[in-house]
Amino acid sequence: MAVNRLGHVAIRVDDMERAKAFYLGLGMKLIWDAEDWAYLGAGNEGLALLGPNYKAAGPHFAFHFDSRDAVQAMHDQLKADGVSVGGVHDHRDGTASFYLRDPEGNWLEMLYEPPGGIPSNQG
């Protein structure tokens, strides 16, 4: 099983409105907006802004997959290889993913992205 693409980076921000304004000013598009996190896109890549109250994940980068089954297969393979992985979770934006650390301790996410990309809650 192989990753499809490097899809997004997630960073921690102290002031969500200030961070959104900055990245929107660079020409990014707001795709998902919630009180505790936001997702912005630029082409096929994304940037997740994690607010101070967001507890589901910390800063990380994510590999995107075209099917939930591919994410599950990657999860199963890594687990069989002895890698410590979290459970696969379905998210409020229609994606599904799991988290793990690479051998250097960096957090990464393996994410199913629905056809057409990350869905938007912006009208």
Coordinates of all heavy atoms in Angstrom, one line a residue, residues 76-120:
D76 N -3.6 -1.3 9.0 CA -3.3 -2.7 9.3 C -1.9 -3.1 9.0 O -1.3 -3.9 9.8 CB -4.3 -3.6 8.5 CG -5.8 -3.4 8.8 OD1 -6.0 -2.7 9.9 OD2 -6.6 -3.8 8.1
Q77 N -1.3 -2.6 7.9 CA 0.0 -3.0 7.5 C 1.0 -2.4 8.5 O 1.9 -3.2 9.0 CB 0.4 -2.5 6.1 CG 1.8 -2.8 5.7 CD 2.0 -4.3 5.6 OE1 1.3 -5.0 5.0 NE2 3.0 -4.8 6.3
L78 N 0.9 -1.2 8.9 CA 1.8 -0.6 9.9 C 1.7 -1.3 11.2 O 2.7 -1.6 11.9 CB 1.5 0.9 10.1 CG 1.9 1.8 8.9 CD1 1.2 3.2 9.1 CD2 3.4 1.9 8.8
K79 N 0.5 -1.6 11.6 CA 0.3 -2.3 12.9 C 0.9 -3.7 12.8 O 1.6 -4.2 13.8 CB -1.2 -2.5 13.2 CG -1.5 -2.9 14.6 CD -3.0 -2.7 14.9 CE -3.3 -3.1 16.3 NZ -4.7 -3.0 16.7
A80 N 0.8 -4.4 11.7 CA 1.4 -5.7 11.5 C 2.9 -5.6 11.6 O 3.6 -6.6 12.0 CB 0.9 -6.4 10.2
D81 N 3.4 -4.5 11.1 CA 4.9 -4.3 11.1 C 5.4 -3.8 12.5 O 6.6 -3.5 12.6 CB 5.3 -3.2 10.1 CG 5.1 -3.7 8.6 OD1 4.9 -4.9 8.4 OD2 5.0 -2.8 7.7
G82 N 4.5 -3.7 13.5 CA 4.9 -3.4 14.8 C 5.0 -1.9 15.1 O 5.5 -1.5 16.2
V83 N 4.4 -1.1 14.2 CA 4.4 0.4 14.4 C 3.2 0.7 15.3 O 2.1 0.2 15.1 CB 4.2 1.1 13.1 CG1 4.1 2.6 13.3 CG2 5.4 0.8 12.2
S84 N 3.4 1.6 16.3 CA 2.3 2.0 17.2 C 1.4 3.0 16.4 O 1.9 4.1 16.0 CB 2.9 2.6 18.4 OG 1.8 3.1 19.3
V85 N 0.1 2.7 16.2 CA -0.8 3.5 15.5 C -2.0 3.7 16.3 O -2.5 2.8 17.1 CB -1.1 2.9 14.1 CG1 0.1 2.9 13.2 CG2 -1.8 1.6 14.2
G86 N -2.7 4.9 16.1 CA -4.0 5.1 16.8 C -5.0 4.5 15.9 O -4.8 4.0 14.8
G87 N -6.3 4.5 16.5 CA -7.4 3.9 15.7 C -7.8 4.8 14.6 O -7.6 6.0 14.5
V88 N -8.5 4.2 13.6 CA -9.0 4.9 12.4 C -10.3 5.5 12.9 O -11.2 4.9 13.5 CB -9.3 4.0 11.2 CG1 -9.9 4.8 10.1 CG2 -8.0 3.3 10.8
H89 N -10.4 6.9 12.7 CA -11.6 7.6 13.1 C -12.3 8.3 12.0 O -11.6 8.9 11.1 CB -11.2 8.7 14.2 CG -10.7 8.1 15.4 ND1 -11.5 7.5 16.4 CD2 -9.4 8.0 15.9 CE1 -10.7 7.0 17.4 NE2 -9.5 7.3 17.1
D90 N -13.6 8.3 12.0 CA -14.4 9.1 11.0 C -14.5 10.5 11.6 O -14.9 10.7 12.8 CB -15.7 8.5 10.7 CG -15.6 7.1 10.0 OD1 -15.0 7.1 8.9 OD2 -16.0 6.1 10.6
H91 N -14.3 11.6 10.8 CA -14.3 12.9 11.3 C -15.5 13.7 10.8 O -16.2 13.3 9.8 CB -13.0 13.7 10.8 CG -11.8 13.0 11.2 ND1 -11.4 13.0 12.5 CD2 -10.8 12.4 10.5 CE1 -10.2 12.3 12.6 NE2 -9.8 11.9 11.4
R92 N -15.8 14.8 11.5 CA -17.0 15.6 11.2 C -17.0 16.2 9.8 O -18.1 16.6 9.3 CB -17.2 16.7 12.3 CG -16.0 17.6 12.4 CD -16.2 18.6 13.6 NE -14.9 19.1 14.0 CZ -14.7 19.9 15.0 NH1 -15.7 20.4 15.6 NH2 -13.5 20.4 15.3
D93 N -15.9 16.3 9.1 CA -15.8 16.8 7.8 C -15.9 15.8 6.7 O -15.7 16.1 5.5 CB -14.6 17.7 7.6 CG -13.3 16.9 7.7 OD1 -13.3 15.6 7.9 OD2 -12.2 17.5 7.6
G94 N -16.2 14.5 7.0 CA -16.4 13.5 6.0 C -15.1 12.7 5.7 O -15.1 11.8 4.9
T95 N -14.0 13.1 6.4 CA -12.8 12.3 6.2 C -12.7 11.2 7.2 O -13.5 11.2 8.1 CB -11.6 13.3 6.3 OG1 -11.5 13.8 7.6 CG2 -11.6 14.4 5.3
A96 N -11.6 10.4 7.1 CA -11.3 9.4 8.1 C -9.8 9.3 8.2 O -9.1 9.4 7.1 CB -11.9 8.1 7.7
S97 N -9.3 9.1 9.4 CA -7.8 9.0 9.5 C -7.4 8.3 10.7 O -8.2 8.0 11.6 CB -7.2 10.4 9.4 OG -7.5 11.1 10.6
F98 N -6.0 8.2 10.8 CA -5.4 7.7 12.0 C -4.0 8.5 12.1 O -3.5 9.0 11.1 CB -5.2 6.2 12.1 CG -4.2 5.6 11.1 CD1 -2.9 5.4 11.5 CD2 -4.7 5.3 9.9 CE1 -2.0 4.8 10.6 CE2 -3.8 4.7 9.0 CZ -2.4 4.5 9.3
Y99 N -3.5 8.5 13.3 CA -2.3 9.2 13.6 C -1.2 8.3 14.1 O -1.5 7.2 14.7 CB -2.5 10.3 14.7 CG -3.4 11.4 14.2 CD1 -4.8 11.4 14.4 CD2 -2.8 12.6 13.7 CE1 -5.6 12.4 14.0 CE2 -3.6 13.6 13.2 CZ -5.0 13.5 13.4 OH -5.8 14.6 13.0
L100 N 0.0 8.6 13.9 CA 1.2 7.9 14.3 C 2.4 8.8 14.4 O 2.3 9.9 13.8 CB 1.5 6.7 13.4 CG 1.9 7.0 12.0 CD1 2.9 5.9 11.6 CD2 0.7 7.0 11.1
R101 N 3.4 8.3 15.0 CA 4.7 9.1 15.0 C 5.7 8.3 14.0 O 5.7 7.1 14.0 CB 5.3 9.2 16.3 CG 4.6 10.1 17.3 CD 5.4 10.2 18.6 NE 4.7 11.0 19.6 CZ 4.9 12.3 19.9 NH1 5.9 12.9 19.2 NH2 4.2 12.9 20.8
D102 N 6.5 9.1 13.3 CA 7.5 8.5 12.5 C 8.7 8.1 13.4 O 8.7 8.4 14.6 CB 8.0 9.4 11.3 CG 8.7 10.6 11.7 OD1 9.2 10.7 12.9 OD2 8.9 11.5 10.9
P103 N 9.7 7.4 12.9 CA 10.8 7.0 13.8 C 11.6 8.1 14.5 O 12.3 7.9 15.5 CB 11.8 6.2 12.9 CG 10.9 5.7 11.8 CD 9.8 6.8 11.6
E104 N 11.4 9.4 14.0 CA 12.1 10.5 14.6 C 11.2 11.3 15.6 O 11.6 12.3 16.1 CB 12.5 11.5 13.5 CG 13.5 10.9 12.5 CD 14.8 10.4 13.2 OE1 15.3 11.2 14.0 OE2 15.2 9.2 12.9
G105 N 9.9 10.8 15.8 CA 9.0 11.4 16.7 C 8.1 12.4 16.2 O 7.3 13.0 16.9
N106 N 8.1 12.6 14.8 CA 7.2 13.6 14.2 C 5.8 12.9 14.1 O 5.7 11.8 13.7 CB 7.7 14.0 12.8 CG 9.0 14.6 12.9 OD1 9.2 15.7 13.5 ND2 10.0 14.0 12.3
W107 N 4.8 13.7 14.3 CA 3.4 13.3 14.2 C 3.0 13.3 12.7 O 3.3 14.3 12.0 CB 2.4 14.1 15.0 CG 2.4 13.8 16.4 CD1 3.0 14.4 17.4 CD2 1.7 12.6 17.0 NE1 2.7 13.8 18.6 CE2 2.0 12.7 18.4 CE3 1.0 11.5 16.5 CZ2 1.5 11.7 19.3 CZ3 0.5 10.6 17.4 CH2 0.8 10.7 18.7
L108 N 2.3 12.3 12.2 CA 1.7 12.3 10.9 C 0.4 11.7 10.9 O 0.0 10.9 11.9 CB 2.6 11.7 9.9 CG 3.0 10.2 10.0 CD1 2.9 9.5 8.6 CD2 4.4 10.1 10.6
E109 N -0.4 12.0 9.9 CA -1.8 11.5 9.8 C -1.9 10.8 8.5 O -1.4 11.3 7.5 CB -2.7 12.7 9.9 CG -4.2 12.4 9.7 CD -5.1 13.6 9.8 OE1 -4.6 14.7 9.5 OE2 -6.3 13.4 10.1
M110 N -2.6 9.7 8.5 CA -3.0 9.0 7.2 C -4.5 9.3 7.0 O -5.3 8.9 7.9 CB -2.7 7.5 7.3 CG -1.2 7.2 7.6 SD -0.2 7.6 6.3 CE 1.4 6.9 6.8
L111 N -4.8 10.0 6.0 CA -6.1 10.6 5.8 C -6.8 10.1 4.6 O -6.3 10.3 3.5 CB -6.1 12.1 5.9 CG -7.4 12.9 5.7 CD1 -8.0 13.1 7.1 CD2 -7.1 14.2 5.0
Y112 N -8.1 9.7 4.7 CA -8.9 9.5 3.5 C -9.6 10.8 3.2 O -10.2 11.5 4.0 CB -10.0 8.4 3.8 CG -11.2 8.6 2.9 CD1 -11.1 8.3 1.5 CD2 -12.5 9.0 3.4 CE1 -12.2 8.5 0.7 CE2 -13.6 9.1 2.6 CZ -13.5 8.9 1.2 OH -14.5 9.0 0.4
E113 N -9.4 11.2 1.9 CA -10.0 12.4 1.4 C -11.1 12.0 0.4 O -10.8 11.4 -0.6 CB -8.9 13.3 0.7 CG -9.5 14.6 0.1 CD -8.4 15.4 -0.5 OE1 -7.3 15.6 0.1 OE2 -8.6 15.8 -1.6
P114 N -12.3 12.4 0.6 CA -13.4 12.0 -0.3 C -13.2 12.5 -1.7 O -12.4 13.5 -1.9 CB -14.7 12.7 0.3 CG -14.3 12.9 1.7 CD -12.8 13.2 1.7
P115 N -13.8 11.9 -2.7 CA -13.7 12.4 -4.1 C -14.1 13.8 -4.1 O -15.1 14.2 -3.5 CB -14.7 11.5 -4.9 CG -14.8 10.3 -4.0 CD -14.6 10.7 -2.6
G116 N -13.4 14.6 -4.9 CA -13.7 16.0 -4.9 C -13.0 16.8 -3.9 O -13.1 18.1 -3.8
G117 N -12.2 16.2 -3.0 CA -11.4 16.9 -2.0 C -12.1 17.0 -0.7 O -13.2 16.5 -0.4
I118 N -11.5 17.7 0.3 CA -12.0 17.9 1.6 C -13.3 18.7 1.4 O -13.3 19.7 0.8 CB -11.0 18.7 2.5 CG1 -9.7 18.0 2.6 CG2 -11.6 19.0 3.9 CD1 -9.6 16.8 3.5
P119 N -14.4 18.2 2.0 CA -15.7 18.9 1.9 C -15.6 20.3 2.6 O -14.9 20.4 3.5 CB -16.7 18.0 2.5 CG -15.9 17.0 3.3 CD -14.6 17.0 2.7
S120 N -16.5 21.2 2.2 CA -16.5 22.5 2.8 C -17.8 22.7 3.6 O -18.8 22.2 3.2 CB -16.4 23.6 1.7 OG -16.5 24.9 2.2

